[in-house]
Amino acid sequence: MTQRTRHVMGVTTTWSLVLSVMIGMSGCATNPVTGRRELSLISESQEIQMGREASAGDLKRVGEVPQPEVQAMVRRIGTAMAAKSERPNLPWEFHVLDDAAVNAFAYPGGFIFVTRGLLTNLNSEAELAEVIGHEIGHVTAKHSVVQMSQQQVAQIGLVGASIFSSTVAKYGDVLGGGASLLFLKFGRDDELQSDALGFQYSLAQQYDVREAPKVFQTLGRLSGGGGRVPEWQSTHPDPGNRAQRAEQRAATVPAATLATLKVNRDGYLRLLNGMVFGENPRQGYFEGTRFLHPDLRFQFDFPSGWKFANQPEAVVGVSADNGAQLQLLPATGTPAQALQSFLAQQGITTRQSSNTTVNGLTAAAATFDATTQQGALQGRALSVAHNGQTYLLLGLMVPDAAATRGAEVEATLRSFRALTDANALNKQPAKVELVTLDQAMTGAQFVQRYPSTVSTDEVYIANGIEAGTSLARGTILKRIR
């Protein structure tokens, strides 16, 4: 949850548009990449509208990295590629989100995003060009549009249905791996086609396509390290050995052409100097089951055994049996006003509500029932004021879980309190710091001589090296501290 989020913002939705298009239209269109006729129930103007709305929502909720020169690099690479693609007249946009997730994605209509987390794990413009070109390929080949056209209306109604309001529904599947209609998982054929298109677009801009395999190797190492699987992997499932395929494509390029291609490793790395690496604790972080937010100066505790995540607009958690969910969201007005605004929504029946205090903070609490398209829910809500901001904490339970989970949900809601620990309040993010080697050494010698505050494996992956890699004098590398 970021400090800049100061009110409950509605979900960027296009469900009514999608439904009306799918119900009211039918037809085929020529795919601009393949030249084949295929099902297309969404016009280009509607495609652009959906992408623009979704893009605006991400920019508002997450925000861009504060380094304008990084944004300019991504725009420069993407704009040049898009101009030579099969759909040059789309209103292409390229953004870098201030997000620790290792991710890149494309919305329909030409709205492309890469994250800070991805950039800090790449090591050249040529690697970045592979990713951007891949995402452009999803748009030019209309992969999302084709998938949306093929969805059954009944399925769209289920995916797009609100549990009972945008306040709650948008976080209902954050931890469950579900994808929204605008951000579907791509199939094997789509991935292979986008890889091939990314290769084509990169080569056209004279990037050294021999660097492309490194992208897939890095993603594989991140996935295999026991940590968080890169988001790019979860939404772009691996259709086989993509690194090997990238090597095979590069092998088809004539030697004379390869000699003219650019990598721009050092220039790329210099733009990363000082960039936040990993999660930014100033936007909230976890210590065990406790969530702490230094900038907003609050903390609260999740039950033991739950899964949880810090999202740009909310902190969410779900029980191990998936029968209960907790959410903390920013709200507006006094605690009583915020609570009543929530309870007044269609589908909610209030059982009991009252004004109260929680750990010395003014609050309002309620129990309620909710009728949803997926079934009945029982809930508990607590709205609390702290440090000039009002927060809404929600506990949602299916009826079978209410008897066993009710007490721990209530305990979490009432654990909200001021953060006063000086160490927590002063906690700072890790950042990329560049080192130019003054002598030759191995990867293992580098991490020993220039220690980082993250694990050795993370440093190796971020630099694309191994312990035994031979590093020449003058090589620029990242340390994290």
Side-chain angles (χ1 to χ4, degrees), residues 289-328:
T289 58
R290 180 165 299 167
F291 180 78
L292 308 94
H293 201 303
D295 281 355
L296 299 180
R297 307 178 76 88
F298 71 78
Q299 61 183 314
F300 71 98
D301 304 313
F302 278 101
S304 178
W306 283 47
K307 297 179 293 183
F308 33 76
N310 180 23
Q311 300 295 309
E313 283 184 271
V315 186
V316 296
V318 63
S319 62
D321 59 7
N322 294 316
Q325 185 185 102
L326 286 159
Q327 303 176 12
L328 180 144

Side-chain angles (χ1 to χ4, degrees), residues 107-125:
Y107 284 124
F111 302 86
I112 310 295
F113 290 83
V114 296
T115 62
R116 165 174 59 79
L118 177 66
L119 292 184
T120 53
N121 280 284
L122 299 180
N123 286 281
S124 70
E125 269 196 29

